[in-house]
Amino acid sequence: NLVLNSPHFMIIAFVPAVVVGLGMLLQRTPWGLAIRAAADNRDAAELAAISTRRVSTMVWVLAGVLSTLTVILVNPLRNVNVGGLGIAEALGPGLLLRALAAALVGRLVSLPLALVGGIGIGVVEALVFANVADPSWSELLLFLLVLTLVLVRGGDEGQESGLESLGTLVRPVPERLRQIWWIRRGGHLAGLTGIVVAALLPVLFGSASQTFLFGRMLVFAIVGLSVTMLTGWSGQLSLGQFAMVGVGAMTTVFLHDRGMPYGAALAYSVVAGALVALLVGFPALRLRGLYLAVTTLSFAVAAREWFFTQPWFLGDGSVVFVQPGTTLGVDYNAQKTFYLLCLAGLVVAVVVTARLRSSGVGRSIIAVRDNERAAASFGISPAATKLLAFAVPGAMAAFAGSLLAGLTVQFGPDVFSPADSLAIVGMAVIGGLGSITGAVLGAVYVVGLPALLGPTPAVQLATSGIGLLVLLLFKPGGFAQVVFRARDLLIERLVPDDESPIETPAVPDESPIENPAVPARAPRPAGSGPVLAVDRVTVRFGGLVALDGVSLHVDEGEIVGLIGTNGAGKSTLMDVVSGFTPAETGAVRLLGRDVTDLRPHVRARLGMGRVFQDARLFPGLTVREALQTALEADDPSDLIPVIASFAPARAAEERKAAS
């Protein structure tokens, strides 16, 4: 029997009324028109005398009112004591995920479809609760639903994540000052000092609880580094990164329980984290921004509620137990010894992250984030780069999870709460998103400060969401911005302009400049055909025929110009030639080879260059780094050699730096 009480009737009465009222506000009022105009084109709205700041404030207020109303309506159904311990779980990421999944049904723009989506999700959950003994299956089904909606319905291809503005742009030290040894080695000296201070923490603060919290701080710093790469460098917002930590921890336990040594289990867990990250990050090939954030959040909820609770992880109990054991005569079961292992793990993670950032791998990730089309025209594969940007942070987060498992010893799936994934992003932002220094400082502030000073009300407020928000209002670049500013002031104070080394201007050399990173191309034999041939290319956009049987031939040494009015199809033809727009019919040949079905980065590696009307390149890279990125097609950087600092990888970077 179906029994409806007063909370159900309140929802039936209020929800449709709110949706109708919100629709009328957006469609039939000046405020609604202003909101829609600002959302479509912020600059044009400003030119139309619409205050986008005022509109944004009103939208936030309206969203807050609707969120509060949602909690009021849902709370009686879930019997949550407001202010109690269970409110974060009942009204936290799980409820947020259901709201976002319902909005995805309407592509985040349609209120009626979002209402239908919410009703559908509720009906499916009710059926699962009534017919399945394990209610966690509803979280798995919700994850599959979100994944299907994202892949099938998709989103706006032109959407931007908006995360670049949160990144900390590190101004490099001028070349003329790097000749001073203490400036050149300043970063290494600061890092060494930090390692010594961290190693002395268990000695100065010897309680077991503080040592555990300090070890947790180191582990969170490693996770922050993974967020630095994923969100700060590639611009992919992940709200499920702590679930990758859970993958590493649970995989370590799974392998260790079956007789594998802790060190080997840790290595396999890193591989497992990379593979899972590839699967979860697959939608990043098509989407970014909020759509991808919803996917990762749904994975975090499903992993905690379903994946980590399966018998192959937990067995017949609700918690797992792992002991690192003894290796090479060192007992890692001792808490202080394992703390030093966590410190060594953080040092390794910092070194790996720094090497990636200074190599072609890191530059390619940032280039794809800033300007995907320009990066592809340089011979960089956007698809491979995006997947790499997920795999490496996933492996690093799994590595942190293995360390967390050995540090905690006994734990359950509740340790890997989806709320921690949100907290990790906040930690990275307050430290300085995109900065290695910021990832470490964020962990020190959010986790280390309570461990050092205790959970006092002042410390809890400072490290809470409110405290982080206040800090971001005054320092949008996080603590890293303060550190880099202090570094610059110190250099200005200690090295006056009249005492700094002066570089001798180079004498211009009229001889041709040869780039050792680019192999010399063999001269083409005479009569070998045109360099570029476009044969009867046709392109349609719906009912609009942009190109109709266009043919073009460019011989060696010949310059061919295209002249036409706006809308004649000039840019479309350039996109077809360079591979950004597929042709319905016809063929494109480069140096006699058919490249019609090849991607833009493959054509670039074959010798096709492309410039765009938009002169914007890569705001996140310096001029030198942008030039080095252009050399990746002929002298690419490989992940493993860069991490291991093999001699060929170092030589490749030196060639690109000298070009």
Side-chain angles (χ1 to χ4, degrees), residues 165-171 428-439 441-442 471-489:
S165 60
L166 292 177
T168 301
L169 296 179
V170 182
R171 189 176 68 178
V429 171
I430 194 61
L433 189 61
S435 165
I436 297 176
T437 304
L441 291 178
L471 286 173
L472 284 178
L473 290 176
F474 290 97
K475 295 296 180 183
F479 289 115
Q481 179 183 1
V482 179
V483 171
F484 295 135
R485 178 57 181 163
R487 179 204 65 182
D488 294 341
L489 291 176

Side-chain angles (χ1 to χ4, degrees), residues 3 61 113 165 167 190 192 214 303 315 485 508 511 543-544 566 618 620 623 648:
V3 179
V61 171
L113 289 179
S165 60
L192 182 61
F214 288 138
R485 178 57 181 163
S511 60
L544 175 64
N566 291 338
F618 314 113
V623 175

Side-chain angles (χ1 to χ4, degrees), residues 43-359:
D43 294 335
E46 290 281 358
L47 294 176
I50 296 175
S51 174
T52 54
R53 290 188 177 182
R54 184 179 301 175
V55 169
S56 178
T57 302
M58 190 190 74
V59 170
W60 276 104
V61 171
L62 184 60
V65 171
L66 293 176
S67 300
T68 304
L69 179 61
T70 301
V71 173
I72 293 174
L73 295 176
V74 171
N75 188 46
L77 299 179
R78 300 201 174 190
N79 297 320
V80 179
N81 180 20
V82 177
L85 296 177
I87 187 171
E89 298 298 329
L91 304 178
L95 181 59
L96 173 63
L97 174 60
R98 283 155 177 78
L100 292 173
L104 280 180
V105 177
R107 291 193 177 182
L108 305 179
V109 294
S110 174
L111 294 178
L113 289 179
L115 177 61
V116 172
I119 295 174
I121 291 173
V123 171
V124 171
E125 279 197 312
L127 293 175
V128 171
F129 290 150
N131 297 281
V132 180
D134 186 1
S136 64
W137 277 91
S138 63
E139 308 296 346
L140 177 62
L141 293 177
L142 188 60
F143 169 63
L144 296 177
L145 172 64
V146 169
L147 191 62
T148 302
L149 288 173
V150 168
L151 293 177
V152 174
R153 296 185 67 86
D156 182 10
E157 295 181 356
Q159 65 172 322
E160 296 293 337
S161 63
L163 298 172
E164 296 83 353
S165 60
L166 292 177
T168 301
L169 296 179
V170 182
R171 189 176 68 178
V173 177
E175 290 287 343
R176 62 184 178 84
L177 298 180
R178 293 184 184 179
Q179 302 175 24
I180 304 175
W181 73 269
W182 66 269
I183 294 180
R184 185 172 64 254
R185 300 298 182 184
H188 297 85
L189 294 175
L192 182 61
T193 303
I195 293 173
V196 173
V197 172
L200 293 176
L201 285 178
V203 178
L204 300 176
F205 306 91
S207 66
S209 60
Q210 283 185 309
T211 302
F212 170 77
L213 291 176
F214 288 138
R216 186 176 173 86
M217 174 189 71
L218 300 177
V219 172
F220 269 60
I222 298 175
V223 185
L225 290 173
S226 71
V227 175
T228 291
M229 286 190 284
L230 180 58
T231 303
W233 296 0
S234 70
Q236 305 287 0
L237 177 59
S238 173
L239 300 181
Q241 197 65 4
F242 211 75
M244 296 300 173
V245 177
V247 170
M250 301 303 285
T251 303
T252 300
V253 173
F254 175 83
L255 297 175
H256 188 64
D257 288 345
R258 285 155 180 79
M260 183 176 291
Y262 175 77
L266 184 149
Y268 279 106
S269 299
V270 171
V271 177
L275 294 177
V276 174
L278 284 176
L279 294 176
V280 177
F282 183 76
L285 297 180
R286 298 183 57 232
L287 304 169
R288 65 186 301 185
L290 183 58
Y291 285 89
L292 188 63
V294 177
T295 303
T296 54
L297 177 61
S298 64
F299 169 74
V301 174
R304 185 267 178 91
E305 299 295 335
W306 183 84
F307 186 59
F308 297 153
T309 61
Q310 295 306 302
W312 56 73
F313 283 135
L314 296 181
D316 297 330
S318 59
V319 296
V320 293
F321 182 82
V322 60
Q323 280 189 325
T326 302
T327 303
L328 298 178
V330 180
D331 183 14
Y332 290 101
N333 294 325
Q335 191 177 55
K336 291 184 179 180
T337 304
F338 199 85
Y339 169 84
L340 295 178
L341 178 62
C342 293
L343 178 59
L346 175 59
V347 172
V348 171
V350 168
V351 171
V352 168
T353 307
R355 286 180 178 175
L356 289 176
R357 178 58 185 88
S358 61
S359 71

Side-chain angles (χ1 to χ4, degrees), residues 7-24 66 69 73 111-112 114-116 119:
H8 296 95
F9 283 110
M10 287 180 61
I11 292 176
I12 294 174
F14 274 98
V15 173
V18 169
V19 173
V20 172
L22 189 60
M24 295 182 65
L66 293 176
L69 179 61
L73 295 176
L111 294 178
L115 177 61
V116 172
I119 295 174

Side-chain angles (χ1 to χ4, degrees), residues 354-493:
R355 286 180 178 175
L356 289 176
R357 178 58 185 88
S358 61
S359 71
V361 176
R363 293 191 296 267
S364 298
I365 292 175
I366 296 176
V368 171
R369 178 201 70 184
D370 287 345
N371 194 332
E372 186 173 322
R373 288 166 62 91
S377 69
F378 284 173
I380 299 173
S381 172
T385 303
K386 289 179 181 179
L387 291 179
L388 183 66
F390 261 88
V392 176
M396 187 171 292
F399 173 66
S402 296
L403 294 177
L404 183 62
L407 180 69
T408 310
V409 179
Q410 183 176 342
F411 56 92
D414 57 318
V415 173
F416 312 107
S417 171
D420 287 331
S421 294
L422 306 179
I424 285 292
V425 175
M427 183 191 75
V429 171
I430 194 61
L433 189 61
S435 165
I436 297 176
T437 304
V440 177
L441 291 178
V444 170
Y445 181 79
V446 175
V447 185
L449 193 62
L452 185 64
L453 302 179
T456 63
V459 172
Q460 290 180 336
L461 177 62
T463 57
S464 67
I466 297 177
L468 299 183
L469 181 60
V470 172
L471 286 173
L472 284 178
L473 290 176
F474 290 97
K475 295 296 180 183
F479 289 115
Q481 179 183 1
V482 179
V483 171
F484 295 135
R485 178 57 181 163
R487 179 204 65 182
D488 294 341
L489 291 176
L490 180 64
I491 293 176
E492 291 176 3
R493 179 66 61 86

